[in-house]
Amino acid sequence: MSKRSPSTPTLHRRRGHVGNLKSIDTDRRHFTGPFVTRTPLDSATPESSDFPALTVNHQGDRFWSDLKSWRWVVNPASSFKLLAISVILYLNWELVTPNIAPGLPNPLRPLLFISYPVGSDTGDVRYAKGYLDLLFIAYYIIFFSFVRQIIIIHACQPIARYFGVKRQAKLERFGEQGYALVYFAIMGAWGYRIMKRLPTYWYRTEYFWIDYPHWDMKFELKRYYLMHMAYWCQQLIVLLFGLEKPRKDYYELVAHHVVTLWLIGWSYLVNLTLIGNAVYMSMDIPDAFLAFSKLLNYMKLERAKFVSFVVFIGFWTYFRHYLNIVILWSIWTEFDLIPEVSRVWSPSEGVWLVWWMKYQIFVPVLFLQTLNLFWYCLIWRIAIRYFHSHRLL
């Protein structure tokens, strides 16, 4: 029997060690770098690793992949890069161009700031409308994509885990409601602040039509309007591209977002921003209470949930139904308060409200009220079940 060489066991041990390397998780999400096998194990490879280059290439590939697939909408790293690129290029132009070509306007300014300032009789700056507003909306679609995911992932989900929420689907829903609470609370308060400075406060509906067209807007009203439009565009993108798990009322939500954008776009285009502010207000404030009630439900705070839900029903009834019906009544009965000279179709002069536009305004608002009634029925069904289960009826 031949004698085994002393080096044989060592060789076996090395082969065993190599075998263990094959079992290491090489999922690309973990940036394993040199552990990702690039060549056969027995072939000659350079001693130095290409780990840094591979990481950069991988992240670059991920960014371009997110751009092509629209995943940047739900990936905060990619949306932040888009925001940062715009800001860096804007600042670069501001710092460099004055030394090369003084007076040359910054082409990136419409992305970050509202456009078309004009003078007014009172001396304060007002703002008109134009195609550059689309650039502002585009930038803030990216902005809301980033803010939404940061709030969901880094603010809301840790709170949800603290209150015992473990399932991923519920964590995501909790995050969405947390983001909705932040957004609608801020925009509801902002809309109230704006309306308080307008003749339409508190739903003095005759001023929707008197002195039409309202083509020149204050800075705050225009920014508020465009940011609202960007928010709803971002929400619709998430739904239509299937970037998140669909909800049970998916089609109703799509219809709601489409109608909302239709109303926002048309009211902005035809200079009916005062009625637009009123519609916004009637939607945003009850939505904040809805989101708050849902958060309490996920946290299983029974007493607080009950009180919040009762308050929410009151706010929803008043804002989404009573005030919406007030707006519908105004469209139907007060449309003729529009000055006679403005009842023509003359886009160059900012007037659009010929007789048939009354129906073009009325029908979408009525459809929005129909969707609200659909959700109102679901709200009362939940309420009745809760009252029965707790023997309150």
Side-chain angles (χ1 to χ4, degrees):
M1 194 164 112
S2 63
K3 197 172 181 181
R4 298 173 65 182
S5 66
S7 62
T8 305
T10 305
L11 181 59
H12 279 291
R13 284 196 298 271
R14 287 177 179 170
R15 287 177 179 170
H17 182 64
V18 170
N20 289 336
L21 278 178
K22 293 182 180 179
S23 66
I24 293 176
D25 180 10
T26 58
D27 190 335
R28 286 185 175 271
R29 292 173 295 178
H30 300 294
F31 298 101
T32 51
F35 295 113
V36 179
T37 304
R38 294 289 179 181
T39 58
L41 287 173
D42 294 332
S43 65
T45 57
E47 292 181 3
S48 61
S49 170
D50 289 335
F51 175 74
L54 289 174
T55 304
V56 172
N57 289 340
H58 172 73
Q59 295 212 7
D61 291 345
R62 176 66 179 273
F63 178 62
W64 286 113
S65 175
D66 284 349
L67 289 183
K68 290 185 289 184
S69 64
W70 290 78
R71 293 292 302 174
W72 58 266
V73 177
V74 292
N75 184 351
S78 295
S79 55
F80 177 76
K81 288 175 184 176
L82 289 172
L83 294 173
I85 289 169
S86 301
V87 172
I88 291 169
L89 291 175
Y90 171 82
L91 293 175
N92 182 69
W93 185 281
E94 290 291 306
L95 294 171
V96 176
T97 305
N99 300 318
I100 302 173
L104 194 64
N106 192 327
L108 294 167
R109 185 177 179 80
L111 284 172
L112 307 178
F113 306 101
I114 60 175
S115 305
Y116 304 111
V118 294
S120 70
D121 296 336
T122 59
D124 62 331
V125 179
R126 299 297 181 98
Y127 289 83
K129 309 168 185 70
Y131 289 111
L132 292 179
D133 294 338
L134 297 175
L135 297 178
F136 184 89
I137 292 170
Y139 183 81
Y140 278 90
I141 289 173
I142 303 170
F143 171 81
F144 281 124
S145 299
F146 173 72
V147 171
R148 180 180 188 268
Q149 294 308 107
I150 290 296
I151 292 175
I152 288 174
I153 297 170
H154 297 290
C156 293
Q157 291 189 1
I159 296 173
R161 292 189 183 95
Y162 176 81
F163 283 94
V165 179
K166 296 180 179 179
R167 288 179 54 193
Q168 185 60 33
K170 286 192 174 182
L171 286 170
E172 291 173 358
R173 293 290 180 256
F174 186 95
E176 291 169 10
Q177 295 308 316
Y179 171 66
L181 174 60
V182 172
Y183 177 81
F184 289 119
I186 291 173
M187 297 303 283
W190 194 10
Y192 177 83
R193 168 189 162 92
I194 290 171
M195 180 184 272
K196 200 169 182 180
R197 300 175 178 181
L198 295 174
T200 52
Y201 181 85
W202 175 259
Y203 287 84
R204 296 171 64 188
T205 55
E206 65 271 21
Y207 288 100
F208 293 162
W209 320 103
I210 294 173
D211 295 330
Y212 175 84
H214 310 117
W215 66 268
D216 57 338
M217 294 184 290
K218 292 185 178 181
F219 171 85
E220 205 169 359
L221 177 59
K222 178 167 182 174
R223 188 175 185 89
Y224 167 82
Y225 226 89
L226 294 180
M227 290 188 74
H228 248 312
M229 196 177 299
Y231 170 84
W232 286 111
C233 285
Q234 194 272 340
Q235 292 291 96
L236 186 61
I237 289 170
V238 172
L239 286 177
L240 293 181
F241 283 84
L243 300 175
E244 292 179 344
K245 183 179 178 181
R247 289 168 46 171
K248 293 180 181 178
D249 56 351
Y250 171 81
Y251 293 106
E252 290 83 1
L253 280 174
V254 170
H256 172 269
H257 292 2
V258 170
V259 172
T260 300
L261 285 169
W262 175 264
L263 286 170
I264 295 170
W266 261 106
S267 62
Y268 189 74
L269 177 66
V270 303
N271 300 312
L272 282 174
T273 48
L274 300 189
I275 189 173
N277 170 245
V279 173
Y280 277 145
M281 282 277 295
S282 70
M283 301 293 168
D284 292 347
I285 293 175
D287 274 348
F289 282 93
L290 173 62
F292 184 63
S293 297
K294 287 184 175 182
L295 290 175
L296 294 176
N297 183 51
Y298 283 118
M299 291 187 282
K300 301 188 185 304
L301 301 176
E302 292 299 324
R303 287 188 178 181
K305 177 181 74 174
F306 173 75
V307 174
S308 174
F309 191 64
V310 171
V311 172
F312 155 69
I313 291 177
F315 271 86
W316 180 282
T317 303
Y318 176 72
F319 280 92
R320 287 249 177 165
H321 297 292
Y322 173 72
L323 288 181
N324 263 208
I325 291 170
V326 167
I327 293 170
L328 282 167
W329 181 256
S330 173
I331 297 169
W332 193 258
T333 63
E334 296 177 337
F335 185 86
D336 292 336
L337 292 175
I338 298 170
E340 190 70 34
V341 294
S342 298
R343 298 184 199 177
V344 294
W345 185 275
S346 181
S348 61
E349 299 177 9
V351 289
W352 308 69
L353 298 187
V354 291
W355 66 269
W356 57 266
M357 283 292 288
K358 172 180 179 178
Y359 305 98
Q360 194 279 329
I361 301 167
F362 184 85
V363 171
V365 178
L366 179 63
F367 185 68
L368 193 62
Q369 178 59 208
T370 303
L371 286 172
N372 288 335
L373 286 170
F374 167 76
W375 281 313
Y376 198 51
C377 291
L378 295 181
I379 290 166
W380 275 109
R381 188 172 70 176
I382 293 169
I384 292 169
R385 285 179 180 176
Y386 181 86
F387 293 149
H388 274 298
S389 65
H390 290 74
R391 298 184 179 180
L392 298 174
L393 287 179

